[in-house]
Amino acid sequence: MSIVHLRRARTSLVLDARGPGLPRVAHWGADLGPVPPDDLPALVDATVAPVVHSSFDAPTVLSLLPEASAGWGGRPALAGHRERRDWSTAFRLTGLDVADDGTGSARVTVRAADDGAGLSLTVEIAIDPTGLVLLRHRLRNDGDTAYELRELTPVLPVPAVATELLDLTGRWCRERSPQRHPWPMGAWVREGRHGRTGHDATLLLVAGTAGFGFGHGEVWAVHTAWSGDHVTFAERRPTGESTLGGGELLAPGEVVLDAGEEYATPLLYAVFSDAGLDGLSDVLHTHLRARPQHPATPRPVTLNVWEAVYFDHDLDRLRALADQAAEVGVERFVLDDGWFRGRRHDRAGLGDWYVDDTVWPDGLHPLVDHARGHGMQFGLWVEPEMVNPDSEVFRAHPEWVLSAPGRLPPAWRHQQVLDLAQPPAYAYLLERLDGLLAAHPGIGYLKWDHNRDLTEAGHQGRPGVHGQTRAVYRLLDELRRRHPGVEIESCASGGARVDLEILRRTDRVWASDCNDALERLAIQRWTGLLLPPELVGSHIGPERSHTTHRVHDLGFRAATALFGHHGIEWDIGAIDAAQRGELAAWIALHKRLRPLLHAGRVVRVDHPDPAVWAHGVIAHDGSQAVYAVAQLATSVTQAPGPVRLPGLAPHRRYAVRPVAGVPEPATLQRAAPGWLADGGVTLGGAVLATVGLQMPALHPEQTVLLEVTAVD
């Protein structure tokens, strides 16, 4: 089979394998329909660039692994050498297999070799029922001497109609900040050198047609699924090619393949949508929800005690907090930092993972049992990869630290990183965590933190990020094998380890250490580009945010936290009965809407007023939906334009009502719009999506919640 056409959902992938070299992707994008086999050669030939003056004598081949030997002059997909030789390759096709794996996915395996360079390549391509493409390269050293690999990155072509780029950047407490610009000639390269995914990780690098939005435009996107150093890039060349790609970012000497050894790239997730950014999210969310390891039980409302007690652990106070948590409807109680030996502040104790008997003379059992007695799950904070120099484990084993020979990396939060690629360090952590969970079978959740970058991270004289990342995966995998009922959250100074490879081993992410509801609206909106709501921890913080000092009323904070894995990060023991009652009402609302919020299709509204943001979740059968309309700031106009409610079934009629059971926000005007003053309105889905509804003129930093129910 020399031309392969794969179709799933609204996506087609056409692979041309007629030549002796590596195949090329002739089309990745919109579904082409059932193309007759006899038409495929003409389709493929129609995509071949012409030979022009002052160029190669034959068309340049942009293959699955672009090579200089085929005329490629852009970013190399493979870089490496064997004693300064074999730095350029000319792979020849040795096999191509196409198979249906029985789950609705199609898989293509391409095998190639360059006998002169002593290298063989396997390219694995899968397209799942949603149209999501997963791409991975495997490179094997078939030579007799070592081969130093510097880069191996999967690449896919994007059509010329994609003229704009969108990706994300950020920092601590302001993760997921979008940046958008025209796609110029040259390479737009995003490198993460943090040793973890990073607060500034792009998550998705999106290329799209001019003016694309949440609900319109053709868009192509890639995600590099790797929790260590990585690169994601978009390249547009004067010769006409446009590409997206990504992979692991390797340091010099980090991966050296001995004879017979193989290196596999991280998975590159590639997704196309002809319905804007929401279409990308729909594909990704559907894919993630279909995974065997995706959480299958309702996501428990979680209280984390960090902002209530910090390091001041007192059993009576924590018991009282558990009582109050149960009273308002909390389902999981999490004890944060400060429970282990020597941990009275953040400058000591990390690495000594034993319950501190000076603070907990009877161990953690009294608190675990108390929380469990209320019917709540119990969770515990850990930061296994880190160590304080002021700790027993560091004093005993300073050689366990990731470092260059003869010196420690710069300190960060008074901590260093344990080198888990060293078997003794790995064995110590596995024994401690396994022992902790075995001794406390009531612990059903670990908040797994990671509070510093890996800087100058050396392993036995060589760069160590690759080995550290693999070792962390092994540690998580082994703990999950031994304790399959324990859920794990990926937290890294907030949202610095959010990627689809860590999420193969964890059950949710902590999107940010910032609980300011205004900041969180943006952080959650853009984290949701990749992840469905149930995988994103979203908590109600205190009235005054401890990271921004901004003050918000409970309604705005709760409406923001509603759309995620819901929880509380607040000293609810210090609030009065009225606030506790309102909080309980919001938690009850979340529980009532949870089946919809954690299974429905996410939509975000393209509204012309930047001060108005709207988003919603719609049941896949179109029977119900919930929308939030948030006023971020004052609008230039007296009343912003009507807000459209996209995603509903156009031919069905819907009753739109303000959500009942929680206080309504205050408005600037005494009289609400007529439909709202009447308690709601019934209109067709097409009308709601095209005309929309005029909202009340809200004060800044308030939210209106609307519940939508099909009436026919």
Side-chain angles (χ1 to χ4, degrees), residues 72-417:
W72 178 246
R75 278 182 57 88
L78 170 62
H81 70 98
R82 187 194 314 275
E83 299 174 345
R84 295 183 292 181
R85 297 179 292 104
D86 302 331
W87 50 269
S88 183
T89 59
F91 283 105
R92 290 295 176 261
L93 186 66
T94 61
L96 187 148
D97 299 316
V98 182
D100 190 316
D101 69 1
T103 66
S105 297
R107 298 183 181 275
V108 178
T109 303
V110 177
R111 295 181 299 279
D114 182 340
D115 295 334
L119 298 171
S120 58
L121 178 74
T122 301
V123 181
E124 300 167 349
I125 305 170
I127 180 168
D128 82 353
T130 70
L132 177 69
V133 176
L134 296 96
L135 182 61
R136 169 174 279 156
H137 293 336
R138 298 183 185 273
L139 184 73
R140 190 179 70 235
N141 178 13
D142 294 329
D144 296 329
T145 58
Y147 179 85
E148 181 184 349
L149 181 65
R150 292 301 308 273
E151 181 169 358
L152 183 61
T153 48
V155 174
L156 284 171
V158 176
V161 294
T163 57
E164 294 184 14
L165 294 178
L166 168 73
D167 62 359
L168 307 174
T169 184
R171 57 172 174 82
W172 178 71
C173 280
R174 206 182 190 284
E175 296 88 342
R176 319 291 170 246
S177 298
Q179 51 187 13
R180 181 171 180 161
H181 54 86
W183 192 350
M185 293 295 173
W188 175 256
V189 182
R190 296 294 311 280
E191 295 182 343
R193 299 179 183 270
H194 305 287
R196 55 182 179 175
T197 319
H199 292 100
D200 60 343
T202 187
L203 285 199
L204 283 181
L205 176 53
V206 181
T209 51
F212 69 84
F214 287 115
H216 63 277
E218 288 186 279
V219 283
W220 295 256
V222 294
H223 168 79
T224 304
W226 181 246
S227 311
D229 292 345
H230 62 281
V231 60
T232 310
F233 57 85
E235 184 172 21
R236 195 175 183 203
R237 307 196 64 242
T239 46
E241 304 95 344
S242 298
T243 55
L244 296 175
E248 185 178 6
L249 186 63
L250 298 173
E254 188 161 23
V255 172
V256 178
L257 300 177
D258 290 330
E261 286 188 334
E262 180 182 273
Y263 169 84
T265 68
L267 276 173
L268 185 72
Y269 287 70
V271 57
F272 164 78
S273 164
D274 58 6
L277 297 172
D278 284 351
L280 295 180
S281 296
D282 194 31
V283 170
L284 289 159
H285 296 181
T286 303
H287 168 81
L288 290 168
R289 286 167 170 166
R291 301 171 304 158
Q293 73 270 30
H294 193 75
T297 57
R299 301 293 76 216
V301 176
T302 299
L303 172 72
N304 189 65
V305 305
W306 175 244
E307 291 193 34
V309 302
Y310 296 101
F311 291 107
D312 184 16
H313 286 199
D314 175 81
L315 178 57
D316 289 339
R317 184 181 177 190
L318 287 164
R319 277 174 168 162
L321 198 57
D323 295 341
Q324 293 148 356
E327 179 186 332
V328 298
V330 167
E331 298 163 309
R332 174 184 283 160
F333 186 87
V334 179
L335 182 66
D336 209 286
D337 197 355
W339 58 268
F340 48 97
R341 287 181 184 171
R343 191 65 167 177
R344 306 277 50 82
H345 46 68
D346 68 355
R347 299 181 297 281
L350 278 177
D352 297 340
W353 300 108
Y354 297 86
V355 177
D356 191 334
D357 55 12
T358 66
V359 179
W360 297 93
D362 298 316
L364 297 177
H365 298 287
L367 182 60
V368 174
D369 294 344
H370 189 78
R372 300 270 297 170
H374 280 298
M376 294 187 292
Q377 301 175 24
F378 187 87
L380 194 65
W381 179 93
V382 293
E383 192 177 3
E385 297 147 80
M386 301 301 156
V387 63
N388 289 125
D390 186 2
S391 67
E392 293 302 321
V393 70
F394 180 89
R395 284 186 281 271
H397 296 287
E399 75 279 6
W400 285 0
V401 171
L402 273 172
S403 60
R407 63 178 180 269
L408 288 177
W412 181 314
R413 288 180 54 142
H414 314 286
Q415 61 193 56
Q416 297 290 345
V417 186

Side-chain angles (χ1 to χ4, degrees), residues 521-535:
L521 271 174
I523 292 167
Q524 291 170 195
R525 167 175 280 217
W526 293 105
T527 303
L529 195 61
L530 180 69
L531 303 182
E534 65 270 23
L535 294 182

